[in-house]
Amino acid sequence: MLDKSHKHLSCSNCESRKLSLFGDFCEKDIHELDDDKSCAYYKKNQPIFIEGSNPRGVYCLNQGKVKVFTRGDEGKEQIIHIAKAGEIIGFRAMFSGEPYKVSASTLEECNICFIGKEDFLTMIDSNPSLRNGIMRELSKELGDRAIFITNLAQKTVRERLAFALLILGEIYGNEPINLTREDMANFIGTATETLIRLLKEFKEEGLIAIHTRKLDIIDKESLILIAGK
Amino acid sequence: MLDKSHKHLSCSNCESRKLSLFGDFCEKDIHELDDDKSCAYYKKNQPIFIEGSNPRGVYCLNQGKVKVFTRGDEGKEQIIHIAKAGEIIGFRAMFSGEPYKVSASTLEECNICFIGKEDFLTMIDSNPSLRNGIMRELSKELGDRAIFITNLAQKTVRERLAFALLILGEIYGNEPINLTREDMANFIGTATETLIRLLKEFKEEGLIAIHTRKLDIIDKESLILIAGK
DNA sequence: CGAATCTTTGAAAGACGTCAACATTGGTGG
DNA sequence: CCACCAATGTTGACGTCTTTCAAAGATTCG
């Protein structure tokens, strides 16, 4: 599944593509995409792009997970989003005309394909369905962030943790949730120590199971109740 | 400037339009827009659309200010954005295929024009420059919300208040900032009482002037320092 | 195996929210 | 135009959720 070389990964049989915004591409589009892009293997904790720099293209996540974050005044990360295979990252900056406002780096080993700005914008111009997909994606994220904001402003850390675990559950699917305590704390917007104490509580209440660094959700229903709306 | 009747407001000489996404429309486009839209006068504190309902079109703000907000578990508002004349609101839901995730209501008396979904989408299809403007706008907002999230998670209420005052200063331009204490608290994500205490501090420190319900920024430089990055 | 990193725990301090009482304001009807 | 009432704003006291700091325990990886 994961390819540690930097050899070209074909789009035509890419399982991740089928779930992505490129999912309904025709043969011709796929080959064009294949010609335009380049592929790379990323180690764990490797930066993909950095806040403040200028975007040169978009990244298509073939394999692995990526955190998207900003840094506050004192350099502390706030994780805005965790992307999984099939997601395209960095396209926001393609349209805003601004430098990146967020950074992205890998949470695990990843295979990531890169599509240059020119190629990507050309693709969008000539492909209304892709364009609509992008607009739908931008819009959905905008809605999600409104909820994220409200949660941060109004929910307790305990509620936010339950909420975050449910989201992480979706992202990780069958696999156990696998994040450092610090990353998880930076996702729900709290101190690492507070997160650890709450995880312990959740474990004692039978909501989750902890296997060293990996978490499993045991009682999803209760988490939903705690998380609230 | 403000028209309390519901009579049609022409786009061709609309000052707000010139600042909006419709700013570079040609004569023909403007007349089409004029034909498609309907205009309405809104009283203060009147809802424009409500979270959970289905979008039927977009709203173009000719005059006045509007708050965009979600409600948390206990019904408390979290203001996500404050729109001023020239802004188009509600277009996010036009593309996401979801019901509204936010509500909007007027903060003052407003003149607001409405453009039906079909008309708006047709306009976008046939007008690449408008489309690019929309995508740029969606992208910028997405970036702004990443910063909003980080501020909520990492800044103190004092810092967030300074930050918010600077934003409100931009929105209100020459006029004094004019919001209820509750709305302002719901914008920075704190309790009304906490906001009031901090406003008092800021006043005593000579950063702002308070005229009953209206605020003026006196010392912008210091506010920038307090607000941080 | 050992250094570096990550995790856990405890104790203490502080920021912020909540509650309750009171003051002010602004809009409405008489 | 004034008086009144509901809505909004203000203040104080208090409790608590969270953060911070410090130090000790695990884990991981070269």
Side-chain angles (χ1 to χ4, degrees):
Chain A
M1 209 67 164
L2 195 79
D3 186 333
K4 297 208 180 195
S5 75
H6 286 230
K7 82 163 177 233
H8 193 83
L9 298 163
S10 163
C11 292
S12 39
N13 52 2
C14 170
E15 286 305 317
S16 298
R17 181 188 59 78
K18 292 172 188 163
L19 308 166
S20 83
L21 285 168
F22 302 130
D24 55 357
F25 265 29
C26 64
E27 280 299 309
K28 180 175 152 293
D29 288 338
I30 292 175
H31 281 105
E32 209 169 299
L33 184 57
D34 244 338
D35 287 345
D36 288 341
K37 75 170 187 182
S38 58
C39 308
Y41 162 78
Y42 286 72
K43 283 181 293 193
K44 191 174 173 177
N45 292 322
Q46 205 174 328
I48 301 168
F49 56 79
I50 295 175
E51 192 178 344
S53 64
N54 279 109
R56 297 179 303 107
V58 300
Y59 300 83
C60 185
L61 198 38
N62 168 75
Q63 189 60 223
K65 296 196 175 39
V66 165
K67 64 177 170 183
V68 177
F69 60 95
T70 56
R71 287 182 191 280
D73 285 358
E74 274 103 62
K76 185 180 177 180
E77 292 181 8
Q78 173 61 41
I79 297 182
I80 306 292
H81 177 69
I82 293 176
K84 58 177 193 295
E87 287 191 52
I88 298 168
I89 45 181
F91 60 78
R92 190 207 70 85
M94 218 64 355
F95 309 116
S96 70
E98 304 163 326
Y100 287 119
K101 287 206 176 174
V102 296
S103 305
S105 48
T106 57
L107 287 167
E108 332 168 332
E109 292 182 294
C110 289
N111 284 130
I112 305 178
C113 303
F114 174 82
I115 303 155
K117 185 167 182 169
E118 293 308 315
D119 292 328
F120 183 68
L121 291 179
T122 307
M123 244 181 260
I124 285 191
D125 263 345
S126 62
N127 194 327
S129 140
L130 172 62
R131 187 165 68 223
N132 289 334
I134 295 270
M135 290 181 88
R136 188 170 57 246
E137 203 49 43
L138 286 169
S139 300
K140 276 194 176 172
E141 271 193 57
L142 212 44
D144 290 343
R145 289 191 191 178
I147 294 170
F148 201 150
I149 288 170
T150 307
N151 284 349
L152 268 172
Q154 300 189 8
K155 285 192 200 295
T156 63
V157 178
R158 184 181 165 83
E159 291 163 343
R160 296 208 301 272
L161 173 56
F163 198 95
L165 285 170
L166 292 168
I167 293 176
L168 291 170
E170 298 294 326
I171 293 172
Y172 280 83
N174 303 322
E175 311 162 48
I177 296 166
N178 189 2
L179 280 176
T180 66
R181 298 292 188 255
E182 190 177 2
D183 278 336
M184 204 177 298
N186 290 342
F187 185 40
I188 70 177
T190 189
T192 307
E193 295 92 327
T194 305
L195 171 80
I196 287 169
R197 284 181 247 266
L198 284 167
L199 281 178
K200 194 179 169 190
E201 278 183 35
F202 278 18
K203 184 181 122 191
E204 284 163 357
E205 294 168 25
L207 306 176
I208 59 171
I210 302 181
H211 310 105
T212 330
R213 204 153 296 172
K214 294 177 179 171
L215 305 183
D216 276 307
I217 292 174
I218 304 287
D219 185 351
K220 190 169 164 180
E221 294 311 311
S222 299
L223 285 178
I224 291 173
L225 281 177
I226 296 170
K229 173 189 159 183
Chain B
M1 208 64 164
L2 195 78
D3 186 335
K4 296 207 179 194
S5 76
H6 286 230
K7 82 161 180 237
H8 192 83
L9 299 164
S10 164
C11 292
S12 39
N13 52 1
C14 170
E15 286 303 316
S16 297
R17 181 189 58 78
K18 293 173 189 164
L19 307 166
S20 83
L21 284 168
F22 303 129
D24 55 357
F25 265 29
C26 63
E27 280 299 309
K28 179 174 154 293
D29 289 338
I30 293 175
H31 283 104
E32 209 170 297
L33 184 57
D34 244 338
D35 289 344
D36 289 340
K37 76 169 185 183
S38 58
C39 307
Y41 162 77
Y42 286 71
K43 284 182 293 196
K44 192 174 170 175
N45 291 322
Q46 207 174 327
I48 301 168
F49 55 79
I50 295 175
E51 191 178 342
S53 65
N54 279 109
R56 297 180 303 105
V58 300
Y59 300 84
C60 187
L61 197 39
N62 168 75
Q63 189 60 224
K65 294 193 175 43
V66 165
K67 65 177 170 185
V68 177
F69 60 95
T70 56
R71 287 183 191 280
D73 285 357
E74 274 102 62
K76 184 178 177 181
E77 292 181 7
Q78 173 61 42
I79 296 183
I80 306 292
H81 178 69
I82 294 176
K84 59 177 192 292
E87 286 191 50
I88 298 169
I89 45 181
F91 61 79
R92 189 208 71 83
M94 218 65 353
F95 310 115
S96 70
E98 306 163 324
Y100 287 119
K101 287 206 176 173
V102 296
S103 305
S105 46
T106 57
L107 288 168
E108 331 168 336
E109 293 182 294
C110 288
N111 285 131
I112 304 179
C113 303
F114 174 81
I115 304 156
K117 185 167 181 168
E118 293 308 315
D119 291 329
F120 183 68
L121 291 178
T122 307
M123 242 181 262
I124 285 191
D125 263 346
S126 62
N127 194 326
S129 139
L130 172 63
R131 187 166 67 223
N132 289 335
I134 295 270
M135 290 180 88
R136 188 172 54 245
E137 204 49 43
L138 286 169
S139 301
K140 275 192 178 173
E141 271 193 55
L142 213 43
D144 290 343
R145 290 193 189 176
I147 293 169
F148 201 149
I149 288 169
T150 307
N151 284 349
L152 269 171
Q154 299 190 8
K155 286 191 200 293
T156 62
V157 178
R158 184 182 165 83
E159 291 163 343
R160 296 208 300 273
L161 173 56
F163 198 93
L165 284 170
L166 292 168
I167 293 175
L168 290 171
E170 298 293 327
I171 294 172
Y172 281 83
N174 304 321
E175 312 161 50
I177 296 166
N178 189 3
L179 279 176
T180 66
R181 299 291 189 257
E182 190 178 1
D183 279 335
M184 205 178 297
N186 290 342
F187 184 42
I188 70 176
T190 189
T192 308
E193 296 92 328
T194 304
L195 170 80
I196 287 170
R197 285 182 247 265
L198 284 167
L199 281 179
K200 194 179 168 189
E201 278 184 34
F202 278 19
K203 185 181 122 191
E204 285 163 357
E205 293 168 26
L207 306 175
I208 58 172
I210 302 181
H211 309 107
T212 334
R213 205 153 294 171
K214 293 176 179 172
L215 305 182
D216 277 307
I217 291 174
I218 304 287
D219 186 352
K220 189 169 165 181
E221 292 311 310
S222 298
L223 285 178
I224 291 173
L225 280 178
I226 295 170
K229 174 188 157 182

